[in-house]
């Protein structure tokens, strides 16, 4: 059983994340999408809401994918579940330096797991949760960026409706 962990903030999950998770589910026997709680960030959605949104968009489509939440060192979680890989999406060269640093640190902390980078699909190159949130805050159309099941929830939460 080859287990992979797909970690992230997922605040909220985007079509870009979903693409990476879907492809990871074909490469590994079991994939855990891990909502990591980062005390340094101020999220728009609680960890429970983020987990629920990911579960909703995955539905019954990916039977070998599960969703969990965690606060702590990713390398510890990966060791505890016996995962062999951490799967991350790479959008652009600008992602690389930070991701490379994290991959090396995680390898040092847990030599049993490797970080696997999947290149993002070209239509998701520019996509990020923070970009989607900015657009939503000003009432912009976010339906191309998010799985359809969560568009209304995200727009309803973030739209300030005070544009003049
Ligand atoms: O979606 P994000 O915010 O880019 O995800 C970053 C995340 C959650 C993968 C990263 O912050 C993380 O792994 N945090 C857990 C704490 C940890 O292990 N830090 C050291 C990484 S080397």
């Amino acid at each position: 059983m080859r287990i992979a962990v797909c970690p992230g903030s997922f605040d909220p999950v985007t079509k870009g994340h979903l693409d990476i998770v879907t492809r990871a589910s074909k490469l590994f026997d079991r994939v855990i999408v891990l909502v990591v709680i980062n005390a340094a960030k101020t999220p728009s959605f609680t960890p429970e809401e983020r987990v629920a949104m990911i579960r909703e968009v995955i539905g019954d489509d990916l039977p070998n994918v599960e969703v969990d939440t965690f606060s702590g060192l990713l390398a510890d979680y990966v060791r505890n579940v016996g995962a062999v890989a951490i799967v991350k999406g790479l959008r652009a060269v600008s992602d690389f330096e930070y991701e490379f640093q994290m991959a090396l640190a995680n390898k040092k902390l847990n030599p049993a797991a490797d970080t696997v980078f999947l290149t993002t699909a070209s239509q998701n190159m520019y996509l990020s949760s923070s970009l989607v949130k900015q657009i939503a805050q000003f009432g912009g159309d976010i339906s191309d960026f998010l799985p359809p099941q969560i568009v209304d929830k995200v727009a309803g939460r973030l739209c300030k409706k005070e544009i003049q």
Side-chain angles (χ1 to χ4, degrees):
M1 173 74 82
R2 304 187 74 75
I3 303 171
V5 175
C6 281
S9 300
F10 302 106
D11 187 47
V13 64
T14 66
K15 281 186 177 175
H17 294 131
L18 192 56
D19 171 57
I20 297 295
V21 171
T22 303
R23 286 156 60 199
S25 76
K26 298 189 173 90
L27 296 172
F28 295 92
D29 299 312
R30 183 178 158 212
V31 172
I32 303 170
V33 182
L34 188 66
V35 174
V36 179
I37 299 162
N38 182 348
K41 285 189 177 177
T42 310
S44 301
F45 297 91
T46 67
E48 294 73 27
E49 287 174 319
R50 287 179 262 161
V51 167
M53 284 192 281
I54 298 167
R55 288 201 176 123
E56 190 180 348
V57 302
I58 289 175
D60 298 328
D61 292 347
L62 306 172
N64 63 335
V65 175
E66 60 203 80
V67 191
D68 197 6
T69 182
F70 176 71
S71 175
L73 272 182
L74 177 63
D76 289 340
Y77 182 94
V78 168
R79 183 185 300 105
N80 289 342
V81 296
V84 296
I86 298 165
V87 175
K88 305 294 293 280
L90 268 190
R91 286 165 300 192
V93 179
S94 53
D95 281 347
F96 183 76
E97 201 166 341
Y98 174 62
E99 294 293 348
F100 190 60
Q101 188 183 23
M102 280 206 291
L104 291 176
N106 282 323
K107 185 72 179 168
K108 171 78 178 161
L109 293 168
N110 177 6
D114 279 296
T115 298
V116 174
F117 293 113
L118 299 182
T119 47
T120 196
S122 55
Q123 70 270 26
N124 298 324
M125 285 279 284
Y126 59 95
L127 195 49
S128 71
S129 298
S130 49
L131 183 110
V132 172
K133 286 193 284 187
Q134 274 185 41
I135 296 170
Q137 274 170 14
F138 295 106
D141 180 5
I142 53 173
S143 59
D144 276 351
F145 311 131
L146 298 182
Q149 300 92 330
I150 64 167
V151 168
D152 288 347
K153 180 178 174 69
V154 174
R157 171 70 58 89
L158 295 173
C159 183
K160 291 178 179 157
K161 296 192 177 93
E162 59 190 25
I163 308 149
Q164 297 174 5

